[in-house]
Amino acid sequence: TLIHAHVSGMDHFDPAMYCTTVQLETGVHMYESLMMLGDDYSSKPMLASKVDVTDSGKKFTFTLRQGVKFHNGKTMTSADVVASWDRYKRVAAERNILDNVEKWEAQDANTFVVTMKRRQPTFIEFISSFSQPIVIIPAEHKDDAPQQLRTVGTGPFQLVEFLPGSHVRLRRFADYSPNT
């Protein structure tokens, strides 16, 4: 049993709307994004297995890790990534990090492509943010209202119980596939 105490509690599990460390510290165990910051603060693939940059730094092609499961048992595809980015652009407090993006699209089930309006060398670092990550959710949840996102991610833990003002209970996700 792990007991983790905070001075304040959770009020929602929508990473696009996080504004406290409490929310981030809990959510990071349930949700994952394409890229993340490593121990050395450099960007590393998380749900992507690799990213290729072409077209003079304006096109980013993310190859997705295969076999990644959501907490509901569904296998993640690029359609989920597209829907997640669509939702983030619609509701996230930090959605302006995508202002320089011309478009994003699913090339196939395992490939997600982002095309920039103009070159932006910091783009990968921006989408690796841990403060308001672009987490990948099931495509069918893309229209969930802000702060009402259903808690279904790909992370190592899944939500079991949430009692506002009291506690959040997580359990290990048996089908979790870490990026080795």
Side-chain angles (χ1 to χ4, degrees), residues 52-91:
D52 294 312
V53 184
T54 57
D55 192 23
S56 300
K58 290 174 52 181
K59 186 174 184 180
F60 297 81
T61 302
F62 298 88
T63 302
L64 304 181
R65 289 177 34 228
Q66 295 187 21
V68 173
K69 299 269 187 199
F70 286 106
H71 298 153
N72 63 6
K74 176 185 169 192
T75 300
M76 180 193 73
T77 70
S78 59
D80 300 302
V81 179
V82 168
S84 299
W85 280 51
D86 288 347
R87 183 178 188 278
Y88 189 92
K89 182 63 177 172
R90 182 175 52 86
V91 305

Short mmCIF file of all heavy atoms in Angstrom, two decimals, residues 52-91:
data_model
loop_
_atom_site.label_atom_id
_atom_site.label_comp_id
_atom_site.label_asym_id
_atom_site.label_seq_id
_atom_site.Cartn_x
_atom_site.Cartn_y
_atom_site.Cartn_z
N ASP A 52 10.54 10.94 -36.57
CA ASP A 52 11.42 11.38 -37.65
C ASP A 52 11.02 12.80 -38.02
O ASP A 52 9.84 13.11 -38.13
CB ASP A 52 11.28 10.47 -38.87
CG ASP A 52 11.78 9.06 -38.61
OD1 ASP A 52 12.90 8.93 -38.08
OD2 ASP A 52 11.04 8.11 -38.92
N VAL A 53 12.03 13.65 -38.21
CA VAL A 53 11.80 15.04 -38.59
C VAL A 53 12.33 15.24 -40.00
O VAL A 53 13.49 14.93 -40.28
CB VAL A 53 12.50 16.01 -37.61
CG1 VAL A 53 12.17 17.46 -37.96
CG2 VAL A 53 12.10 15.69 -36.18
N THR A 54 11.46 15.72 -40.90
CA THR A 54 11.85 15.93 -42.30
C THR A 54 11.31 17.27 -42.78
O THR A 54 10.77 18.04 -42.00
CB THR A 54 11.29 14.81 -43.19
OG1 THR A 54 9.88 14.76 -43.06
CG2 THR A 54 11.90 13.46 -42.83
N ASP A 55 11.43 17.50 -44.08
CA ASP A 55 10.92 18.71 -44.71
C ASP A 55 11.46 19.96 -44.03
O ASP A 55 10.72 20.85 -43.63
CB ASP A 55 9.38 18.70 -44.73
CG ASP A 55 8.80 19.77 -45.64
OD1 ASP A 55 9.51 20.23 -46.56
OD2 ASP A 55 7.65 20.17 -45.41
N SER A 56 12.78 19.99 -43.88
CA SER A 56 13.47 21.12 -43.26
C SER A 56 12.94 21.44 -41.86
O SER A 56 12.83 22.60 -41.46
CB SER A 56 13.36 22.36 -44.15
OG SER A 56 13.95 22.11 -45.40
N GLY A 57 12.61 20.40 -41.11
CA GLY A 57 12.16 20.60 -39.73
C GLY A 57 10.69 20.95 -39.59
O GLY A 57 10.26 21.33 -38.50
N LYS A 58 9.91 20.79 -40.64
CA LYS A 58 8.49 21.16 -40.57
C LYS A 58 7.54 19.96 -40.51
O LYS A 58 6.35 20.14 -40.31
CB LYS A 58 8.11 22.03 -41.77
CG LYS A 58 8.73 23.42 -41.70
CD LYS A 58 8.49 24.25 -42.95
CE LYS A 58 7.06 24.33 -43.36
NZ LYS A 58 6.85 25.12 -44.59
N LYS A 59 8.06 18.76 -40.66
CA LYS A 59 7.20 17.57 -40.64
C LYS A 59 7.74 16.57 -39.63
O LYS A 59 8.90 16.17 -39.69
CB LYS A 59 7.14 16.95 -42.03
CG LYS A 59 6.17 15.81 -42.16
CD LYS A 59 6.09 15.36 -43.61
CE LYS A 59 5.06 14.28 -43.80
NZ LYS A 59 4.99 13.87 -45.21
N PHE A 60 6.87 16.18 -38.70
CA PHE A 60 7.22 15.24 -37.64
C PHE A 60 6.39 13.98 -37.82
O PHE A 60 5.15 14.04 -37.79
CB PHE A 60 6.94 15.84 -36.26
CG PHE A 60 7.76 17.06 -35.97
CD1 PHE A 60 7.41 18.31 -36.46
CD2 PHE A 60 8.92 16.96 -35.20
CE1 PHE A 60 8.17 19.44 -36.19
CE2 PHE A 60 9.69 18.08 -34.93
CZ PHE A 60 9.31 19.32 -35.42
N THR A 61 7.04 12.85 -38.01
CA THR A 61 6.35 11.58 -38.20
C THR A 61 6.61 10.70 -36.99
O THR A 61 7.76 10.31 -36.73
CB THR A 61 6.81 10.89 -39.49
OG1 THR A 61 6.58 11.77 -40.60
CG2 THR A 61 6.07 9.58 -39.72
N PHE A 62 5.55 10.41 -36.26
CA PHE A 62 5.64 9.60 -35.05
C PHE A 62 5.20 8.18 -35.37
O PHE A 62 4.08 7.97 -35.83
CB PHE A 62 4.72 10.15 -33.96
CG PHE A 62 5.08 11.53 -33.50
CD1 PHE A 62 4.55 12.65 -34.15
CD2 PHE A 62 5.93 11.72 -32.44
CE1 PHE A 62 4.87 13.92 -33.73
CE2 PHE A 62 6.26 13.00 -32.01
CZ PHE A 62 5.73 14.10 -32.66
N THR A 63 6.08 7.23 -35.15
CA THR A 63 5.73 5.82 -35.27
C THR A 63 5.27 5.39 -33.89
O THR A 63 6.01 5.56 -32.91
CB THR A 63 6.93 4.98 -35.73
OG1 THR A 63 7.40 5.49 -36.98
CG2 THR A 63 6.55 3.51 -35.86
N LEU A 64 4.06 4.88 -33.80
CA LEU A 64 3.51 4.50 -32.50
C LEU A 64 3.99 3.13 -32.06
O LEU A 64 4.21 2.24 -32.90
CB LEU A 64 1.97 4.50 -32.56
CG LEU A 64 1.31 5.79 -33.00
CD1 LEU A 64 -0.20 5.63 -32.97
CD2 LEU A 64 1.74 6.96 -32.14
N ARG A 65 4.13 2.97 -30.76
CA ARG A 65 4.43 1.65 -30.21
C ARG A 65 3.22 0.76 -30.45
O ARG A 65 2.08 1.19 -30.30
CB ARG A 65 4.72 1.75 -28.72
CG ARG A 65 6.04 2.42 -28.45
CD ARG A 65 6.35 2.61 -26.97
NE ARG A 65 5.85 1.57 -26.12
CZ ARG A 65 5.18 1.80 -24.99
NH1 ARG A 65 4.90 3.03 -24.59
NH2 ARG A 65 4.77 0.80 -24.26
N GLN A 66 3.46 -0.47 -30.83
CA GLN A 66 2.35 -1.39 -31.11
C GLN A 66 1.99 -2.19 -29.86
O GLN A 66 2.84 -2.46 -29.02
CB GLN A 66 2.73 -2.31 -32.26
CG GLN A 66 2.90 -1.52 -33.55
CD GLN A 66 3.11 -2.41 -34.75
OE1 GLN A 66 2.77 -3.58 -34.74
NE2 GLN A 66 3.66 -1.84 -35.80
N GLY A 67 0.71 -2.52 -29.76
CA GLY A 67 0.25 -3.34 -28.65
C GLY A 67 -0.06 -2.57 -27.38
O GLY A 67 -0.37 -3.19 -26.36
N VAL A 68 -0.02 -1.24 -27.42
CA VAL A 68 -0.33 -0.44 -26.23
C VAL A 68 -1.85 -0.50 -26.01
O VAL A 68 -2.63 -0.27 -26.93
CB VAL A 68 0.14 1.02 -26.39
CG1 VAL A 68 -0.35 1.87 -25.23
CG2 VAL A 68 1.65 1.08 -26.52
N LYS A 69 -2.24 -0.81 -24.78
CA LYS A 69 -3.65 -0.93 -24.43
C LYS A 69 -4.10 0.21 -23.53
O LYS A 69 -3.35 0.69 -22.69
CB LYS A 69 -3.90 -2.24 -23.68
CG LYS A 69 -3.56 -3.48 -24.45
CD LYS A 69 -4.73 -3.98 -25.19
CE LYS A 69 -4.39 -5.33 -25.81
NZ LYS A 69 -5.30 -5.64 -26.87
N PHE A 70 -5.35 0.60 -23.73
CA PHE A 70 -6.00 1.53 -22.80
C PHE A 70 -6.54 0.71 -21.63
O PHE A 70 -6.71 -0.52 -21.73
CB PHE A 70 -7.17 2.25 -23.50
CG PHE A 70 -6.74 3.31 -24.46
CD1 PHE A 70 -6.83 3.09 -25.82
CD2 PHE A 70 -6.25 4.53 -24.01
CE1 PHE A 70 -6.46 4.08 -26.73
CE2 PHE A 70 -5.87 5.52 -24.91
CZ PHE A 70 -5.96 5.29 -26.27
N HIS A 71 -6.87 1.39 -20.55
CA HIS A 71 -7.41 0.73 -19.37
C HIS A 71 -8.71 0.00 -19.65
O HIS A 71 -9.09 -0.91 -18.90
CB HIS A 71 -7.62 1.74 -18.23
CG HIS A 71 -6.35 2.39 -17.80
ND1 HIS A 71 -6.34 3.65 -17.24
CD2 HIS A 71 -5.06 1.99 -17.84
CE1 HIS A 71 -5.10 3.99 -16.96
NE2 HIS A 71 -4.30 2.99 -17.32
N ASN A 72 -9.42 0.36 -20.73
CA ASN A 72 -10.66 -0.33 -21.09
C ASN A 72 -10.42 -1.54 -22.00
O ASN A 72 -11.36 -2.16 -22.47
CB ASN A 72 -11.65 0.64 -21.73
CG ASN A 72 -11.15 1.23 -23.05
OD1 ASN A 72 -10.09 0.84 -23.56
ND2 ASN A 72 -11.90 2.17 -23.59
N GLY A 73 -9.15 -1.86 -22.28
CA GLY A 73 -8.81 -3.02 -23.10
C GLY A 73 -8.62 -2.74 -24.57
O GLY A 73 -8.12 -3.59 -25.31
N LYS A 74 -8.99 -1.55 -25.02
CA LYS A 74 -8.86 -1.19 -26.43
C LYS A 74 -7.38 -0.95 -26.78
O LYS A 74 -6.64 -0.36 -26.00
CB LYS A 74 -9.68 0.08 -26.69
CG LYS A 74 -9.55 0.62 -28.09
CD LYS A 74 -10.29 1.96 -28.22
CE LYS A 74 -9.91 2.59 -29.55
NZ LYS A 74 -10.34 3.96 -29.65
N THR A 75 -6.97 -1.36 -27.97
CA THR A 75 -5.61 -1.12 -28.44
C THR A 75 -5.50 0.29 -29.02
O THR A 75 -6.36 0.70 -29.81
CB THR A 75 -5.20 -2.15 -29.51
OG1 THR A 75 -5.27 -3.46 -28.93
CG2 THR A 75 -3.78 -1.91 -30.01
N MET A 76 -4.47 1.02 -28.64
CA MET A 76 -4.26 2.39 -29.12
C MET A 76 -3.82 2.39 -30.58
O MET A 76 -2.99 1.59 -30.99
CB MET A 76 -3.17 3.07 -28.28
CG MET A 76 -2.89 4.50 -28.71
SD MET A 76 -1.38 5.16 -27.98
CE MET A 76 -0.11 4.28 -28.90
N THR A 77 -4.41 3.33 -31.36
CA THR A 77 -4.02 3.53 -32.75
C THR A 77 -3.83 5.03 -32.99
O THR A 77 -4.13 5.86 -32.13
CB THR A 77 -5.07 3.01 -33.74
OG1 THR A 77 -6.23 3.85 -33.67
CG2 THR A 77 -5.44 1.55 -33.46
N SER A 78 -3.40 5.37 -34.19
CA SER A 78 -3.22 6.78 -34.54
C SER A 78 -4.56 7.53 -34.55
O SER A 78 -4.57 8.75 -34.35
CB SER A 78 -2.52 6.91 -35.89
OG SER A 78 -3.26 6.27 -36.89
N ALA A 79 -5.68 6.85 -34.73
CA ALA A 79 -6.98 7.51 -34.65
C ALA A 79 -7.20 8.08 -33.24
O ALA A 79 -7.78 9.16 -33.08
CB ALA A 79 -8.11 6.55 -35.02
N ASP A 80 -6.72 7.38 -32.23
CA ASP A 80 -6.81 7.88 -30.85
C ASP A 80 -5.92 9.10 -30.66
O ASP A 80 -6.29 10.04 -29.96
CB ASP A 80 -6.41 6.78 -29.86
CG ASP A 80 -7.31 5.56 -29.97
OD1 ASP A 80 -8.53 5.70 -29.81
OD2 ASP A 80 -6.78 4.47 -30.21
N VAL A 81 -4.76 9.08 -31.29
CA VAL A 81 -3.83 10.22 -31.19
C VAL A 81 -4.46 11.45 -31.84
O VAL A 81 -4.46 12.54 -31.26
CB VAL A 81 -2.46 9.89 -31.81
CG1 VAL A 81 -1.52 11.09 -31.71
CG2 VAL A 81 -1.84 8.67 -31.14
N VAL A 82 -5.03 11.28 -33.03
CA VAL A 82 -5.69 12.40 -33.73
C VAL A 82 -6.79 12.97 -32.85
O VAL A 82 -6.88 14.18 -32.64
CB VAL A 82 -6.24 11.96 -35.11
CG1 VAL A 82 -7.17 13.02 -35.68
CG2 VAL A 82 -5.09 11.68 -36.07
N ALA A 83 -7.66 12.11 -32.31
CA ALA A 83 -8.76 12.56 -31.47
C ALA A 83 -8.26 13.27 -30.21
O ALA A 83 -8.82 14.29 -29.79
CB ALA A 83 -9.64 11.37 -31.09
N SER A 84 -7.20 12.76 -29.63
CA SER A 84 -6.62 13.37 -28.42
C SER A 84 -6.08 14.76 -28.71
O SER A 84 -6.29 15.70 -27.93
CB SER A 84 -5.50 12.48 -27.88
OG SER A 84 -5.99 11.21 -27.53
N TRP A 85 -5.39 14.91 -29.83
CA TRP A 85 -4.86 16.22 -30.20
C TRP A 85 -6.00 17.18 -30.56
O TRP A 85 -5.94 18.36 -30.24
CB TRP A 85 -3.86 16.09 -31.35
CG TRP A 85 -2.50 15.65 -30.88
CD1 TRP A 85 -2.21 14.59 -30.07
CD2 TRP A 85 -1.26 16.27 -31.18
NE1 TRP A 85 -0.86 14.51 -29.87
CE2 TRP A 85 -0.25 15.53 -30.55
CE3 TRP A 85 -0.91 17.37 -31.96
CZ2 TRP A 85 1.09 15.86 -30.63
CZ3 TRP A 85 0.43 17.69 -32.06
CH2 TRP A 85 1.42 16.95 -31.40
N ASP A 86 -7.04 16.66 -31.21
CA ASP A 86 -8.21 17.49 -31.52
C ASP A 86 -8.83 18.03 -30.23
O ASP A 86 -9.15 19.22 -30.13
CB ASP A 86 -9.27 16.70 -32.29
CG ASP A 86 -8.91 16.39 -33.73
OD1 ASP A 86 -7.93 16.99 -34.25
OD2 ASP A 86 -9.59 15.55 -34.34
N ARG A 87 -9.00 17.16 -29.25
CA ARG A 87 -9.58 17.59 -27.98
C ARG A 87 -8.68 18.60 -27.28
O ARG A 87 -9.15 19.61 -26.76
CB ARG A 87 -9.84 16.39 -27.07
CG ARG A 87 -10.51 16.79 -25.76
CD ARG A 87 -10.81 15.58 -24.86
NE ARG A 87 -11.61 16.01 -23.74
CZ ARG A 87 -11.12 16.57 -22.64
NH1 ARG A 87 -9.83 16.76 -22.50
NH2 ARG A 87 -11.93 16.93 -21.65
N TYR A 88 -7.38 18.32 -27.25
CA TYR A 88 -6.44 19.24 -26.59
C TYR A 88 -6.53 20.63 -27.22
O TYR A 88 -6.60 21.63 -26.52
CB TYR A 88 -5.02 18.68 -26.71
CG TYR A 88 -4.01 19.43 -25.88
CD1 TYR A 88 -3.72 19.03 -24.58
CD2 TYR A 88 -3.32 20.53 -26.40
CE1 TYR A 88 -2.79 19.72 -23.81
CE2 TYR A 88 -2.40 21.22 -25.64
CZ TYR A 88 -2.13 20.81 -24.35
OH TYR A 88 -1.22 21.48 -23.59
N LYS A 89 -6.56 20.69 -28.53
CA LYS A 89 -6.64 21.98 -29.23
C LYS A 89 -7.94 22.70 -28.91
O LYS A 89 -7.99 23.93 -28.89
CB LYS A 89 -6.50 21.76 -30.75
CG LYS A 89 -6.51 23.04 -31.56
CD LYS A 89 -5.33 23.95 -31.24
CE LYS A 89 -5.32 25.18 -32.12
NZ LYS A 89 -4.33 26.15 -31.73
N ARG A 90 -8.98 21.96 -28.61
CA ARG A 90 -10.28 22.56 -28.30
C ARG A 90 -10.39 23.03 -26.86
O ARG A 90 -10.96 24.08 -26.59
CB ARG A 90 -11.38 21.54 -28.61
CG ARG A 90 -12.80 22.04 -28.39
CD ARG A 90 -13.85 21.02 -28.83
NE ARG A 90 -13.69 19.70 -28.27
CZ ARG A 90 -14.18 19.32 -27.08
NH1 ARG A 90 -14.84 20.14 -26.33
NH2 ARG A 90 -13.99 18.07 -26.68
N VAL A 91 -9.84 22.29 -25.88
CA VAL A 91 -10.12 22.60 -24.47
C VAL A 91 -8.92 22.96 -23.60
O VAL A 91 -9.11 23.52 -22.52
CB VAL A 91 -10.87 21.43 -23.77
CG1 VAL A 91 -12.13 21.06 -24.51
CG2 VAL A 91 -9.97 20.22 -23.58
#
